[in-house]
CSV table of all heavy atoms in Angstrom, one decimal:
chain,number,residue,atom,x,y,z
A,39,ALA,N,132.2,-25.9,51.7
A,39,ALA,CA,130.9,-26.2,51.0
A,39,ALA,C,130.6,-25.1,50.0
A,39,ALA,O,130.1,-25.4,48.9
A,39,ALA,CB,129.7,-26.3,52.0
A,40,THR,N,130.9,-23.9,50.3
A,40,THR,CA,130.7,-22.8,49.4
A,40,THR,C,131.7,-22.8,48.3
A,40,THR,O,131.5,-22.4,47.1
A,40,THR,CB,130.7,-21.4,50.1
A,40,THR,OG1,131.9,-21.2,50.8
A,40,THR,CG2,129.5,-21.3,51.0
A,41,ASP,N,132.9,-23.3,48.5
A,41,ASP,CA,133.9,-23.5,47.5
A,41,ASP,C,133.5,-24.4,46.4
A,41,ASP,O,133.7,-24.2,45.2
A,41,ASP,CB,135.3,-24.0,48.0
A,41,ASP,CG,135.9,-23.1,49.1
A,41,ASP,OD1,135.6,-21.9,49.0
A,41,ASP,OD2,136.7,-23.5,49.9
A,42,ALA,N,132.8,-25.5,46.8
A,42,ALA,CA,132.2,-26.4,45.8
A,42,ALA,C,131.2,-25.8,44.9
A,42,ALA,O,131.1,-26.0,43.7
A,42,ALA,CB,131.7,-27.7,46.5
A,43,ALA,N,130.4,-24.9,45.6
A,43,ALA,CA,129.3,-24.2,44.8
A,43,ALA,C,130.0,-23.2,43.8
A,43,ALA,O,129.5,-23.1,42.7
A,43,ALA,CB,128.4,-23.4,45.8
A,44,ASP,N,131.0,-22.5,44.2
A,44,ASP,CA,131.8,-21.6,43.3
A,44,ASP,C,132.3,-22.4,42.1
A,44,ASP,O,132.2,-21.9,41.0
A,44,ASP,CB,132.9,-20.9,44.1
A,44,ASP,CG,132.4,-19.9,45.1
A,44,ASP,OD1,131.2,-19.5,45.0
A,44,ASP,OD2,133.1,-19.5,45.9
A,45,ALA,N,132.9,-23.6,42.4
A,45,ALA,CA,133.5,-24.3,41.3
A,45,ALA,C,132.4,-24.7,40.3
A,45,ALA,O,132.6,-24.8,39.1
A,45,ALA,CB,134.2,-25.6,41.8
A,46,ALA,N,131.2,-25.0,40.7
A,46,ALA,CA,130.1,-25.4,39.9
A,46,ALA,C,129.6,-24.2,39.0
A,46,ALA,O,129.2,-24.4,37.9
A,46,ALA,CB,128.9,-25.9,40.7
A,47,ARG,N,129.8,-23.0,39.5
A,47,ARG,CA,129.4,-21.8,38.7
A,47,ARG,C,130.4,-21.4,37.7
A,47,ARG,O,130.0,-20.8,36.7
A,47,ARG,CB,129.2,-20.6,39.7
A,47,ARG,CG,128.1,-20.8,40.7
A,47,ARG,CD,128.0,-19.6,41.6
A,47,ARG,NE,127.8,-18.4,40.9
A,47,ARG,CZ,128.4,-17.2,41.1
A,47,ARG,NH1,129.4,-17.2,42.0
A,47,ARG,NH2,128.2,-16.2,40.5
A,48,VAL,N,131.6,-21.7,37.8
A,48,VAL,CA,132.7,-21.2,36.9
A,48,VAL,C,132.7,-22.1,35.6
A,48,VAL,O,132.9,-23.3,35.7
A,48,VAL,CB,134.1,-21.3,37.6
A,48,VAL,CG1,135.2,-20.9,36.6
A,48,VAL,CG2,134.1,-20.4,38.8
A,49,GLY,N,132.4,-21.4,34.5
A,49,GLY,CA,132.5,-22.1,33.2
A,49,GLY,C,131.3,-23.0,32.9
A,49,GLY,O,131.3,-23.6,31.9
A,50,GLY,N,130.4,-23.2,33.8
A,50,GLY,CA,129.3,-24.1,33.6
A,50,GLY,C,128.0,-23.4,33.6
A,50,GLY,O,127.9,-22.1,33.6
Side-chain angles (χ1 to χ4, degrees):
T40 55
D41 296 339
D44 289 343
R47 292 177 61 226
V48 176

